[in-house]
């Protein structure tokens, strides 16, 4: 019962973020995509946290959220050398995780996870690219970068948690790290959406 209560509180936090940005509204297409991403994340939480049997729908919801963020962060310009290099750590970490998990999860599951990891990596990398110039002011870009890093760390932790070596206290520690990254990550995204709204109101 206590575990279910904790899960309900966690879902309530993400649902509150989604309602906040939706009620605030978004005039630009990027804000709308970012707000919709938070809504899909809350929906994913509903499936993954409260409805264990609906895991495929939960994963699909989060993938949709990341695809929306990819659309929102895209600048339409070719990356420079520094920007391209910034994407390598994400790819290396995802590839290492897929290689480590493959023996215990099987090839098919690992390939699917790697594909999802590529989507996550692209989202995080595009967030980093915002520091090199883009549609957002520097302060907002920094919020989005921090958000993307925390989301990446969270989902990497979720993937690593599938390995059977995580049991007992190590699993508890990993779950704490996941939630310590998850809630701040999506909260920073919500703050960025509201920051962009504030900027548009002043212009």
């Amino acid at each position: 019962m206590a575990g279910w209560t904790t899960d309900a509180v966690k879902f309530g936090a993400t649902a509150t973020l989604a309602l906040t940005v939706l009620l605030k509204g978004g005039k630009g297409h990027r804000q709308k995509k970012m707000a919709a991403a938070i809504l899909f994340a809350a929906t994913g939480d509903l499936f993954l946290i409260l409805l264990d049997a609906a895991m495929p729908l939960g994963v699909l919801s989060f993938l949709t959220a990341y695809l929306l963020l990819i659309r929102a962060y895209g600048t339409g310009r070719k990356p420079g050398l520094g920007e391209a290099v910034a994407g390598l750590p994400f790819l290396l970490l995802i590839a290492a995780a897929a290689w480590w998990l493959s023996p215990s999860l099987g090839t098919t599951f690992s390939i699917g996870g790697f594909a999802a990891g590529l989507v996550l990596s692209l989202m995080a990398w595009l967030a980093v690219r915002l520091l090199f110039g883009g549609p957002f002011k520097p302060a907002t870009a920094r919020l989005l970068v921090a958000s993307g890093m925390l989301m990446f760390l969270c989902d990497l932790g979720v993937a690593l948690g599938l390995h059977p070596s995580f049991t007992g206290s190590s699993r508890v520690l990993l779950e704490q790290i996941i939630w310590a990254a998850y809630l701040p990550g999506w909260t920073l995204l919500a703050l960025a959406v509201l920051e962009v709204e504030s900027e548009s109101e002043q212009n």
Side-chain angles (χ1 to χ4, degrees):
M1 181 65 179
W4 189 92
T5 302
T6 301
D7 289 343
V9 170
K10 292 173 180 177
F11 168 70
T14 53
T16 299
L17 290 176
L19 288 174
T20 299
V21 294
L22 288 175
L23 290 175
K24 178 65 179 179
K27 298 180 177 64
H29 68 281
R30 295 181 190 273
Q31 297 100 301
K32 290 179 180 178
K33 288 181 175 64
M34 291 154 64
I38 299 175
L39 178 61
F40 273 101
T43 304
D45 269 349
L46 176 63
F47 290 132
L48 292 176
I49 295 178
L50 301 182
L51 303 174
D52 292 337
M55 180 176 290
L57 292 176
V59 172
L60 181 61
S61 295
F62 274 101
L63 284 176
T64 302
Y66 294 141
L67 288 172
L68 285 166
L69 293 180
I70 287 171
R71 294 290 302 277
Y73 297 163
T75 61
R77 59 178 176 78
K78 292 183 178 180
L81 178 60
E83 294 172 90
V85 171
L88 290 179
F90 302 114
L91 291 177
L92 291 175
L93 286 171
I94 289 298
W99 174 81
W100 188 56
L101 290 168
S102 180
S104 57
L105 300 182
T107 302
T108 301
F109 195 92
S110 296
I111 291 175
F114 181 69
L118 290 178
V119 174
L120 175 66
S121 298
L122 180 58
M123 180 278 297
W125 176 60
L126 289 176
V128 172
R129 285 195 67 196
L130 296 174
L131 292 177
F132 294 82
F136 304 105
K137 290 185 177 181
T140 303
R142 287 192 289 270
L143 287 176
L144 294 174
V145 172
S147 171
M149 297 299 96
L150 289 170
M151 291 178 191
F152 181 86
L153 176 62
C154 170
D155 279 12
L156 182 62
V158 171
L160 295 178
L162 297 175
H163 197 276
S165 64
F166 283 99
T167 57
S169 59
S170 63
R171 173 165 291 279
V172 172
L173 177 60
L174 182 62
E175 290 176 351
Q176 290 175 343
I177 293 174
I178 289 171
W179 280 105
Y182 177 75
L183 290 177
W186 288 97
T187 299
L188 288 174
L189 177 61
L191 290 175
V193 174
L194 297 178
E195 179 70 20
V196 172
E197 280 302 306
S198 177
E199 291 171 4
S200 65
E201 290 171 359
Q202 293 174 5
N203 294 334

